[in-house]
Amino acid sequence: MTTDLQDYSHKRYNILTGEWVLVSPHRAKRPWQGQNEAVSNEARPAHDPSCYLCAGNTRINGEDNPKYEDVFIFTNDFAALQTGSKSFKVDDGLLIAQSEQGICKVICFSPDHSKSLADMSAKDIEKVVFAWQKEYKELAENELINYVQIFENKGAVMGCSNPHPHGQIWSQTTLPNEVDKKDQQQLAYYNKNKSSLLGDYLKQELTKQERIIFENDAFVVLIPFWAVWPFEAMIVPKKQQRSISDLKNNESFLFAEAISVITKAYDKLFNTSFPYSSGIHQAPTNGEDYNHWHWHMSFYPPLLRSASVKKFMVGYEMFGSPQRDITPEIAAKMIKDLL
């Protein structure tokens, strides 16, 4: 990698969205006098009687959770999308709107209130992967659903309202903005090159070995060349697959292993339960041909230089484009050194 990218301001192109990120390596040396987040490493009990997600407890809607022993899924009691909402359109000059329907679910990763994915074994995380696959397949068969978004918000700083290990699955009738951009970019590349955009990118990354954190027989964990968040990471299957439903044989376990590796490394980075938002982007479910899709999972952690210093997307990021100080190469080395 040219030293210019480590020393001077430059822009990097995100091949998946068609957008740019500004990188300013010299700013990583500036002193910090801004806000410091509260750091909480308090031990949590394995079962919290006041937690709406713990096994056997009563949720806010009055329903009792079963005494589940691994993964538990239920329809969100406060769903952002619903199946029975009114269908309508507004087309009034420049005032344009349309109704949106969908199904939102909550997935509890473990009955143990004290854990996160970083504390779970790869075998236990594999049960979560199996649940994701099952939900993706079942929701895909619903004529109302054209996209399934699987994600997790971990940590209060990411707006997580309950520390119990859990994620969410939002499915809807139209494609969200980020998915639509990635769909267009991958399709354009596939039509031009007759190959997978991420597949070809992965070959280049594996050759250079500058941003690779971990790899097994089926997956690569890396810091994307165009990463926005300081310690952003991505898990990419080595062979092109449209969705997690394409995982075969032991690939589900190898995916779980990749998740285990990056989440454990995150917790070691600043010796804290590392907050992040993670999500899986995969092919839409409207029945069309999506041979250009190469699914992947991204992690967007907000911490910047310690457990108490957060990266804020403000100012230039709001009005111009995303910007980062620490380079992806330095971030990759910091995380890889912890493995």
Side-chain angles (χ1 to χ4, degrees):
M1 175 61 63
T2 170
T3 56
D4 289 348
L5 292 178
Q6 304 303 317
D7 297 329
Y8 302 103
S9 298
H10 61 278
K11 294 194 301 182
R12 298 196 186 195
Y13 184 66
N14 185 331
I15 59 173
L16 283 172
T17 64
E19 299 171 340
W20 293 86
V21 54
L22 176 64
V23 184
S24 312
H26 57 286
R27 279 171 53 89
K29 302 174 183 177
R30 78 190 196 281
W32 180 261
Q33 293 182 311
Q35 177 175 319
N36 286 275
E37 303 294 330
V39 179
S40 175
N41 281 321
E42 63 176 336
R44 300 198 307 271
H47 183 274
D48 183 349
S50 66
C51 172
Y52 294 123
L53 301 182
C54 276
N57 287 359
T58 302
R59 298 204 306 277
I60 193 68
N61 68 350
E63 292 184 19
D64 292 333
N65 295 329
K67 294 184 178 180
Y68 62 95
E69 297 182 354
D70 40 59
V71 179
F72 170 51
I73 300 175
F74 63 92
T75 300
N76 197 320
D77 299 326
F78 300 95
L81 295 161
Q82 299 173 322
T83 56
S85 57
K86 181 181 177 181
S87 180
F88 65 89
K89 283 188 177 182
V90 174
D91 190 357
D92 182 11
L94 298 178
L95 309 178
I96 303 167
Q98 68 180 62
S99 58
E100 183 74 351
Q101 296 178 320
I103 301 170
C104 296
K105 297 188 176 184
V106 176
I107 171 171
C108 297
F109 301 149
S110 167
D112 193 330
H113 185 80
S114 69
K115 290 187 174 181
S116 69
L117 288 176
D119 304 310
M120 295 167 59
S121 68
K123 201 64 184 173
D124 284 336
I125 296 176
E126 184 183 29
K127 297 176 183 176
V128 177
V129 173
F130 287 151
W132 285 339
Q133 290 175 295
K134 180 176 180 292
E135 288 297 320
Y136 177 83
K137 291 176 183 177
E138 290 182 356
L139 289 166
E141 293 172 357
N142 188 323
E143 291 185 356
L144 177 71
I145 302 304
N146 291 311
Y147 187 72
V148 179
Q149 182 61 64
I150 297 168
F151 66 97
E152 178 197 4
N153 294 321
K154 180 192 174 192
V157 72
M158 298 307 294
C160 183
S161 60
N162 190 316
H164 192 100
H166 75 285
Q168 298 186 57
I169 303 172
W170 290 17
S171 57
Q172 61 190 100
T173 56
T174 62
L175 298 191
N177 295 340
E178 292 301 305
V179 178
D180 188 46
K181 285 185 284 189
K182 290 188 176 185
D183 181 54
Q184 294 181 37
Q185 289 291 112
Q186 291 184 93
L187 179 59
Y189 186 89
Y190 186 84
N191 286 340
K192 180 181 179 180
N193 300 282
K194 306 304 177 187
S195 59
S196 158
L197 173 63
L198 269 185
D200 289 350
Y201 165 72
L202 199 57
K203 292 175 184 175
Q204 193 169 351
E205 287 284 23
L206 287 169
T207 298
K208 290 184 175 296
Q209 289 290 319
E210 292 170 338
R211 286 164 294 275
I212 304 296
I213 295 173
F214 169 81
E215 67 173 298
N216 56 30
D217 289 343
F219 290 90
V220 175
V221 183
L222 54 80
I223 305 291
F225 179 76
W226 55 83
V228 170
W229 296 94
F231 296 98
E232 178 177 331
M234 185 163 62
I235 299 176
V236 188
K238 288 184 175 180
K239 65 182 182 183
Q240 184 186 359
Q241 297 173 329
R242 289 174 295 181
S243 72
I244 56 175
S245 62
D246 294 333
L247 293 172
K248 307 296 183 185
N249 301 322
N250 70 330
E251 290 175 347
S252 295
F253 175 78
L254 294 175
F255 178 34
E257 180 185 42
I259 294 173
S260 177
V261 167
I262 185 60
T263 54
K264 281 178 169 58
Y266 275 158
D267 279 11
K268 292 179 182 178
L269 189 60
F270 295 136
N271 194 31
T272 189
S273 184
F274 208 75
Y276 60 73
S277 280
S278 66
I280 299 173
H281 277 160
Q282 51 196 328
T285 59
N286 57 8
E288 296 182 11
D289 179 5
Y290 286 99
N291 289 329
H292 56 282
W293 258 89
H294 194 141
W295 76 269
H296 50 284
M297 183 176 190
S298 296
F299 291 80
Y300 300 153
L303 297 186
L304 180 58
R305 58 179 74 187
S306 73
S308 63
V309 177
K310 176 182 178 293
K311 162 72 176 177
F312 288 93
M313 288 292 183
V314 296
Y316 182 83
E317 286 97 345
M318 282 185 171
F319 299 101
S321 65
Q323 182 271 341
R324 65 178 290 134
D325 297 342
I326 181 176
T327 65
E329 294 75 35
I330 296 299
K333 184 179 186 304
M334 289 175 65
I335 297 176
K336 189 173 182 179
D337 286 347
L338 297 171
L339 302 184

